[in-house]
Amino acid sequence: MTDAHPGPLPRTDRPTWPEGLPGIAFGADHNPEQWDESVWLEDVRLMREAGVTMVSVGIFSWALLEPRPGEIDLGWLDRVVDLLHAHGIAVDLATPTAAPPAWLYAAHPEAWVVDRAGVRLGPGSRGIMCPSSPAYAEAATRITRALAERYAAHPAVRMWHVHNEYGAPVHECHCATSQVAFRDWLRERHGDLDTLNAAWGTAFWGQRHGTWEEVRTPAAAASVVNPAQQLDFARFCDDELRACFVRERDLLHAAGDAVGRPLPVTTNFMATSCAHVDYWAWAREVDVVANDHYLTGERRDAHVLLAMDADLTRSLARGRPWILMEHSTSAVNWQPRNIAKRPGEMARGSLSHLGRGADGILFFQWRASRSGAEKFHSAMLPHGGTATRGWREVVALGRAVGRLAEVAGSRTVARVALLWDWESCWAQDLEWRPSTDLSHRERTEAFYSALWAAGVTVDFAHPGDDLAAYDLVVAPQLYLVTAASAASLDAYVRGGGTLLVSFFSGVVDEHDAVHPEGLSGPLGTTLGLQVEEFHPLRADESVALASGLRGDVWSEHVVVGEDTEVLDTFADGPVAGLPALTRRRLGGGQAWYVATRVDGPALATLVDRVCEAAGVERLDLPAGLEVVTRTSEAGAAYVVALNHADTPAALPAHVTGLDLLTGARVEPGAHLDAGAAAVVRLD
Ligand code: GLA
């Protein structure tokens, strides 16, 4: 767990890419069970027209594959898989365990998920049943085994897709089975009750547990529930979900081994959008990382958030090629206002994922559904059919992806890392923090966006990782840090790295207890300072810094050590005259600290300054121009350039070569049209 973070290495003893799938994979979730068989042939014909090479099949079809308990009917799936194979389309075959059939709910009411408020979540939608339920496990095993045995040797099937988006829509359960499972998990983690009581600080508010039977999941209570208990419960829930994945994965591996055909097994992540699972741990369990991403249509900087999501996904994959398992051709149906994509926007999004390491570009879903909850969700084949702009853009994108085969396998390399730790987020997001304006997500997006605008490619890393490969590491808000991670960050700085830490970092340990060193914890030792007291600002308040920059949300009383330079101070506000920006040179490196929330141009200035100090190259890009580079083992460099602005943009001078999308040469000083994309193999 936290103290022994072994690094997010994907498994290496299995194939790490769908079998026999060269170039960039292109396709979608394919749900033919929603349609009359007469449509299936037209589907594969149109898939060919669109350049589709792989589809995910069967994700929500448990009730059709096993209409009654134990009665497995794979006839229709045989016909689907055979048809796809006959047309040269690879199958990413799913286990359907994210949509338990109505009969399973009816037979096992004890397996219904119980939420925090005690509400039982029944059938009629989708989602996992209680992740700790033996009945769910038995049924999931039966259908997974049936699929594995039937299709392990089928030549159409090139990869396995377990479940769907673990952690959504269900991530926790408070039923009777979960109470027992949680206690077992706690015994394993803490050993005895005294240790548990100490770790949870139960002396506070008289919460001491005298017997194991008194220990319960942190369900709704009169006031704030013990934060350490909540944090352990978050870990438990994540472990239980992951155990469900591992159980199915192992069945699929075993079936492949039995026929001498090991296929990679994956499950689709939601890198920046699922707060409930620790993908660093999940990434070690999948053979290939796959991710789903949907634009937040309301945000005008949605393309920057897309890039952040893709960069996190690549980091989970440890730089190896990954699969964009789902995104949308246009609008989704589940946001408050579902903004349709404008002409060219789909392609820019898809190519941004590709530029950031995706070797597979797939959508949800192939054909728009006429019925059900998602009928207003866009699809590769829209309700309007082939005589639509949407379809024409899909076909054009399929052709474009087909021209990028040589890019497959190349890597996107970053010299800067942002720290990202789900455990720290779980802890910070608990109740009663010093200010409701504190947001690790806001700070992460802000630092990422400033680096994006400067054309700096960013990896994400766990604070316990070996960071030596990075010139600059930024901790946007690392509330929880273990002693081990703090030691690793200290070693990074002493070894020559530049570390920038933003406020409200290093505060607590793995039990959400304030570190013995005080409010800046062991990070303060590296930074050469102590945070003596927090001074959060009022909602309408901001503070001036001596440099002329302004901060808001936060200020604090920082006391620096002898060898720490004060680079900026608070000019007014609750801590006027005290340090706001500091730097300590330590060993071969330097550790920077910023004690307030700077944003916009002030943050750009700070990021520029620290990049300069770390020797990180920035690009002087016109607003809205995205530039990211992939490099092949043979040394070829591919620049993916995307103009998200409404006016033409001049490409950086170094971008000269062949645009693989158009076949045209890109000469020095070339412009990219408004909304356009280029993938340039550099000279
Ligand atoms: C998720 C799910 C899909 C579908 C899409 C809609 O990613 O995995 O089944 O519901 O959202 O955007």
Side-chain angles (χ1 to χ4, degrees):
M1 272 172 217
T2 322
D3 272 331
H5 194 272
L9 280 172
R11 300 163 55 86
T12 50
D13 53 344
R14 299 267 160 188
T16 55
W17 199 249
E19 191 183 86
L21 204 64
I24 307 289
F26 189 61
D29 282 13
H30 178 36
N31 299 304
E33 67 274 24
Q34 296 175 16
W35 297 89
D36 188 85
E37 288 205 30
S38 58
V39 176
W40 296 2
L41 190 58
E42 188 195 32
D43 275 335
V44 287
R45 192 179 57 73
L46 291 175
M47 283 178 190
R48 297 283 304 191
E49 190 178 323
V52 165
T53 58
M54 182 168 77
V55 290
S56 305
V57 175
I59 300 177
F60 300 108
S61 56
W62 193 348
L64 299 165
L65 296 168
E66 190 178 4
R68 276 165 293 280
E71 220 177 89
I72 310 267
D73 170 15
L74 302 180
W76 68 269
L77 186 57
D78 283 348
R79 294 196 291 286
V80 168
V81 169
D82 288 345
L83 182 65
L84 289 162
H85 188 52
H87 289 80
I89 296 165
V91 172
D92 164 39
L93 190 58
T95 67
T97 52
W103 55 255
L104 190 58
Y105 280 92
H108 291 285
E110 85 289 353
W112 295 22
V113 166
V114 175
D115 76 6
R116 193 171 180 272
V119 176
R120 300 173 68 239
L121 310 182
S125 182
R126 66 171 171 183
I128 200 166
M129 296 179 83
C130 168
S132 310
S133 156
Y136 173 75
E138 190 191 324
T141 297
R142 186 170 60 221
I143 188 65
T144 300
R145 185 172 284 138
L147 288 165
E149 283 170 2
R150 172 81 73 127
Y151 297 105
H154 195 297
V157 178
R158 314 296 180 80
M159 179 168 78
W160 291 102
H161 178 304
V162 170
H163 199 87
N164 191 65
E165 296 187 338
Y166 280 101
V170 170
H171 69 276
E172 66 179 34
C173 181
H174 297 263
C175 74
T177 307
S178 297
Q179 304 296 338
V180 175
F182 185 41
R183 274 174 218 135
D184 290 346
W185 185 92
L186 290 169
R187 273 195 198 92
E188 181 78 15
R189 177 171 168 84
H190 296 285
D192 56 65
L193 261 189
D194 284 346
T195 311
L196 175 88
N197 278 309
W200 287 7
T202 55
F204 183 80
W205 278 1
Q207 294 169 344
R208 192 179 168 74
H209 298 287
T211 69
W212 280 103
E213 286 62 44
E214 293 166 11
V215 180
R216 298 188 56 79
T217 63
S223 183
V224 170
V225 175
N226 184 304
Q229 179 183 358
Q230 294 197 62
L231 185 52
D232 264 354
F233 186 62
R235 295 179 178 120
F236 160 76
C237 294
D238 181 41
D239 278 1
E240 293 297 276
L241 285 174
R242 205 162 54 255
C244 291
F245 167 75
V246 166
R247 182 171 60 228
E248 293 185 29
R249 180 203 67 196
D250 288 352
L251 288 167
L252 298 165
H253 279 165
D257 292 345
V259 297
R261 186 174 178 242
L263 292 178
V265 180
T266 194
T267 185
N268 43 346
F269 294 174
M270 298 163 280
T272 59
S273 21
C274 185
H276 307 297
V277 296
D278 179 352
Y279 285 127
W280 293 125
W282 285 74
R284 293 195 294 274
E285 302 294 348
V286 296
D287 299 319
V288 50
V289 166
N291 191 52
D292 299 348
H293 179 264
Y294 292 95
L295 294 181
T296 307
E298 204 76 48
R299 293 268 301 252
R300 290 185 199 283
D301 61 348
H303 55 286
V304 180
L305 303 182
L306 179 159
M308 179 169 123
D309 194 85
D311 284 345
L312 176 57
T313 307
R314 180 188 65 253
S315 306
L316 292 167
R318 270 294 198 240
R320 287 206 245 172
W322 53 277
I323 297 174
L324 177 63
M325 189 60 89
E326 292 180 26
H327 67 320
S328 67
T329 55
S330 188
V332 298
N333 65 298
W334 41 266
Q335 295 181 5
R337 282 167 288 275
N338 296 294
I339 311 297
K341 290 185 181 173
R342 295 170 62 195
E345 193 176 353
M346 171 187 70
R348 287 200 307 278
S350 305
L351 292 172
S352 178
H353 285 289
L354 180 139
R356 294 171 191 282
D359 275 2
I361 302 292
L362 281 71
F363 292 93
F364 175 85
Q365 61 178 330
W366 161 249
R367 183 186 276 272
S369 302
R370 290 189 52 218
S371 308
E374 297 188 300
K375 53 183 162 293
F376 300 127
H377 196 290
S378 59
M380 291 179 87
L381 184 59
H383 287 296
T386 53
T388 53
R389 168 180 75 88
W391 173 254
R392 287 189 291 276
E393 287 199 28
V394 162
V395 172
L397 179 63
R399 300 232 162 94
V401 164
R403 287 182 207 115
L404 299 178
E406 67 176 85
V407 180
S410 59
R411 303 288 181 103
T412 308
V413 177
R415 311 287 308 166
V416 175
L418 293 191
L419 298 182
W420 180 294
D421 179 10
W422 275 275
E423 291 213 346
S424 178
C425 300
W426 295 338
Q428 184 176 333
D429 290 343
L430 297 172
E431 304 92 337
W432 289 5
R433 287 355 193 173
S435 166
T436 57
D437 297 329
L438 286 166
S439 165
H440 51 80
R441 183 55 178 254
E442 184 278 333
R443 281 296 76 191
T444 303
E445 289 180 7
F447 278 97
Y448 182 87
S449 301
L451 289 158
W452 185 95
V456 177
T457 303
V458 165
D459 275 350
F460 286 85
H462 185 277
D465 285 344
D466 178 356
L467 301 166
Y470 298 108
D471 297 325
L472 172 65
V473 171
V474 179
Q477 196 152 97
L478 189 62
Y479 165 68
L480 180 156
V481 74
T482 62
S485 289
S488 154
L489 290 169
D490 190 79
Y492 165 71
V493 175
R494 288 177 194 276
T498 298
L499 175 69
L500 169 63
V501 176
S502 177
F503 63 92
F504 206 54
S505 292
V507 185
V508 297
D509 67 9
E510 60 271 37
H511 305 304
D512 197 46
V514 172
H515 280 288
E517 293 92 337
L519 293 175
S520 37
L523 277 187
T525 313
T526 304
L527 295 161
L529 55 83
Q530 271 260 7
V531 172
E532 197 173 297
E533 190 178 14
F534 300 143
H535 288 273
L537 302 175
R538 293 184 177 81
D540 60 356
E541 209 177 354
S542 68
V543 282
L545 308 188
S547 61
L549 302 182
R550 294 198 77 80
D552 60 10
V553 170
W554 193 257
S555 64
E556 56 191 11
H557 182 155
V558 173
V559 180
V560 293
E562 263 174 22
D563 57 353
T564 302
E565 300 164 70
V566 176
L567 304 177
D568 207 346
T569 52
F570 289 99
D572 58 19
V575 287
L578 296 182
L581 178 67
T582 66
R583 174 175 56 190
R584 183 185 185 209
R585 295 181 195 277
L586 183 64
Q590 43 188 308
W592 294 57
Y593 185 67
V594 58
T596 185
R597 195 191 83 106
V598 284
D599 205 13
L603 182 57
T605 305
L606 171 65
V607 163
D608 191 59
R609 195 168 168 190
V610 80
C611 280
E612 181 68 32
V616 172
E617 194 193 344
R618 284 88 71 213
L619 297 175
D620 188 14
L621 297 174
L625 182 65
E626 176 176 356
V627 171
V628 61
T629 305
R630 289 182 62 158
T631 311
S632 77
E633 231 172 318
Y638 303 96
V639 170
V640 176
L642 308 163
N643 184 3
H644 300 286
D646 292 333
T647 48
L651 289 169
H654 75 278
V655 183
T656 61
L658 186 72
D659 180 358
L660 299 178
L661 297 180
T662 59
R665 286 217 32 98
V666 174
E667 302 296 350
H671 280 66
L672 198 55
D673 287 345
V679 180
V680 183
R681 189 208 299 132
L682 295 189
D683 289 332

